[in-house]
Amino acid sequence: MKKILVTGGAGYIGSHTVVELIEADYTPIIVDNLCNTSIQNIQGIEKIIDKKIKWHNTDCTDKSAMDKVFAEEGRMEGAIHFAAYKAVEESVQNPQKYYDNNMGSLKVLLQCMQENNVKNIIFSSSCTVYGMPDVLPVDENAPFKKAESPYGETKQLCEKMLKEDSCNSVALRYFNPVGSHSTALIGDCSADRPSNLVPIITEVAIGKREKITIFGNDYKTPDGTCIRDYIHVVDLAKSHVKAMEFLINNTGKHAFNVGTGIGVSVLDAIKAFEQTNKLSINYSIGPRRDGDIEQIYANSNLVKEKLGWEAKETLEKAMISAWEWEKLKE
Ligand code: UDP
């Protein structure tokens, strides 16, 4: 069975990917120091797959600790690199923390890969690299705009690092991941107070927040609220399995959008949550949020053509699973 190193494998997208890797007969090896997730996800993975998972409690920026992981694991087919900080606002307040960790962990991983002859890497990138695209739906040839935050800049810089390295790489540019595994045993355990739309909706639903403020309804969109492409996290996880298969059979540098291609407004997302879960969400309209882009959604033709991947889950299913996770998480 092919071993795949999964940094950040106990995180939100990482844990879902570990489950999909196992279902596709890979052997994922998790490297995660749980700095922004919980042991709950490791335990959840083990319950879903009904066996123990190999996990190194290791900081990816620590070269000598990573050397030990590589020495212990021996031959590996590739790495999937999720380990990174992801809070946009925090990155504005503390940019150095983001440059050090997000760039530092990729640097160490690439060094270890080179020294151990591991050639394939999949990187968690983001549609944030495009800023507000000139053409919608946005495709992979769109230019990178000036980053709106240090977080976004680390994604652009990491893609550049990959291009300059000798590895074979796929950068997966995620649109907006939402939802959870159907068992509700794994999900987003990050300590950050949620700043993303769907976790805020679920916090309102459960009573942790009184209401959600919609950041602006005067955009040039049909209902005036911003538009995003919300992708079910299980679909997103599956794209990593396809990308790994692709890299095992192809060399070179690649980047793919991973989205549904469907633009959904903030109001549509709230309505979808309300209708599927038969709940009412208290919201009000507030001012625009600094740095928000008006609309973005994916042209996903390339990922379909090259990886044979496309989104299968619906927004409705994502909203149901998001609510189940909110109710069950510790
Ligand atoms: N949003 C909102 N209120 C909130 C959080 C988010 O209106 O409390 C909107 C936000 O303006 C954006 C969309 O929801 O249009 C998705 O925001 P999120 O932070 O989840 O993702 P990103 O903006 O990074 O794509």
Side-chain angles (χ1 to χ4, degrees), residues 88 176 195-198 200 212-215 226-228 230 266 289 292-293:
V88 176
N176 290 54
S195 60
N196 292 113
L197 180 64
V198 174
I200 291 176
I212 176 163
T213 304
I214 295 178
F215 297 140
C226 290
I227 287 176
R228 297 287 184 275
Y230 296 96
V266 179
R289 178 170 69 176
D292 252 348
I293 57 168

Side-chain angles (χ1 to χ4, degrees), residues 259-274:
T260 65
I262 302 167
V264 172
S265 75
V266 179
L267 274 168
D268 285 340
I270 293 174
K271 272 185 227 144
F273 183 89
E274 290 183 321

Side-chain angles (χ1 to χ4, degrees), residues 4-19 21 28-42 45 53-61 66 69-70 78-86 101-102 105-106 109 121-124 155 174 186-190 233 236-237 240:
I4 310 291
L5 193 78
V6 186
T7 76
Y12 174 44
I13 305 169
S15 58
H16 287 83
T17 301
V18 165
V19 168
L21 284 167
I29 309 292
I30 296 177
V31 172
D32 200 308
N33 64 353
L34 305 186
C35 72
N36 196 20
T37 186
S38 154
I39 191 89
Q40 188 186 350
N41 269 353
I42 304 258
I45 292 169
I53 182 92
K54 186 73 183 286
W55 164 47
H56 296 267
N57 188 344
T58 299
D59 178 346
C60 290
T61 62
M66 287 295 279
V69 171
F70 274 77
I80 308 183
H81 184 48
F82 293 103
Y85 293 146
K86 60 174 184 176
N101 184 68
N102 293 7
S105 60
L106 179 60
L109 179 60
I121 179 167
I122 296 168
F123 174 65
S124 289
K155 294 295 173 195
Y174 309 155
I186 53 176
D188 189 351
C189 298
S190 53
V233 69
L236 181 57
H240 296 77

Side-chain angles (χ1 to χ4, degrees), residues 31-320:
V31 172
D32 200 308
N33 64 353
L34 305 186
C35 72
N36 196 20
T37 186
S38 154
I39 191 89
Q40 188 186 350
N41 269 353
I42 304 258
Q43 293 159 346
I45 292 169
E46 291 179 340
K47 277 191 202 143
I48 294 169
I49 63 170
D50 197 23
K51 61 177 179 200
K52 287 274 168 208
I53 182 92
K54 186 73 183 286
W55 164 47
H56 296 267
N57 188 344
T58 299
D59 178 346
C60 290
T61 62
D62 181 341
K63 176 71 167 58
S64 58
M66 287 295 279
D67 284 341
K68 286 193 193 120
V69 171
F70 274 77
E72 187 181 321
E73 295 301 339
R75 184 180 157 72
M76 291 188 283
E77 289 302 315
I80 308 183
H81 184 48
F82 293 103
Y85 293 146
K86 60 174 184 176
V88 176
E89 218 173 297
E90 185 193 39
S91 82
V92 175
Q93 285 149 12
N94 194 352
Q96 205 55 48
K97 177 176 171 183
Y98 277 67
Y99 297 125
D100 288 349
N101 184 68
N102 293 7
M103 317 293 302
S105 60
L106 179 60
K107 187 172 163 223
V108 166
L109 179 60
L110 289 174
Q111 276 175 348
C112 289
M113 286 173 60
Q114 201 164 48
E115 287 160 12
N116 292 277
N117 202 26
V118 178
K119 297 209 174 313
N120 302 321
I121 179 167
I122 296 168
F123 174 65
S124 289
S125 190
S126 162
C127 67
T128 191
V129 296
Y130 299 123
M132 175 66 217
D134 298 326
V135 179
L136 285 170
V138 64
D139 71 27
E140 290 82 354
N141 294 319
F144 287 8
K145 297 270 179 73
K146 188 182 174 316
E148 294 287 354
S149 67
Y151 161 78
E153 203 173 351
T154 66
K155 294 295 173 195
Q156 294 180 339
L157 291 169
C158 284
E159 283 207 27
K160 190 161 181 271
M161 275 171 75
L162 287 174
K163 281 203 185 124
E164 287 161 5
D165 191 86
S166 61
C167 61
N168 299 316
S169 65
V170 168
L172 293 177
R173 295 178 184 155
Y174 309 155
F175 283 67
N176 290 54
V178 289
S180 280
H181 195 264
S182 58
T183 58
L185 288 167
I186 53 176
D188 189 351
C189 298
S190 53
D192 315 322
R193 190 157 191 251
S195 60
N196 292 113
L197 180 64
V198 174
I200 291 176
I201 295 175
T202 60
E203 284 200 353
V204 174
I206 210 155
K208 282 189 196 161
R209 296 181 192 236
E210 193 205 323
K211 62 166 186 174
I212 176 163
T213 304
I214 295 178
F215 297 140
N217 68 348
D218 56 352
Y219 287 96
K220 288 196 196 88
T221 59
D223 66 21
T225 67
C226 290
I227 287 176
R228 297 287 184 275
D229 182 337
Y230 296 96
I231 165 103
H232 196 301
V233 69
V234 172
D235 270 337
L236 181 57
K238 288 181 175 158
S239 73
H240 296 77
V241 178
K242 294 280 191 188
M244 188 50 75
E245 275 163 26
F246 175 82
L247 270 191
I248 289 171
N249 295 309
N250 295 273
T251 56
K253 318 280 179 193
H254 310 269
F256 299 113
N257 286 343
V258 194
T260 65
I262 302 167
V264 172
S265 75
V266 179
L267 274 168
D268 285 340
I270 293 174
K271 272 185 227 144
F273 183 89
E274 290 183 321
Q275 281 165 8
T276 50
N277 294 304
K278 311 217 170 356
L279 287 163
S280 168
I281 296 296
N282 189 13
Y283 68 80
S284 66
I285 307 294
R288 292 181 175 198
R289 178 170 69 176
D290 273 354
D292 252 348
I293 57 168
E294 183 174 275
Q295 47 182 322
I296 187 163
Y297 46 97
N299 176 327
S300 291
N301 293 343
L302 192 66
V303 68
K304 188 173 176 191
E305 181 197 327
K306 300 278 185 199
L307 302 191
W309 174 92
E310 63 184 322
K312 297 256 163 62
E313 305 283 350
T314 59
L315 181 63
E316 285 66 31
K317 270 183 89 176
M319 291 305 193
I320 290 169

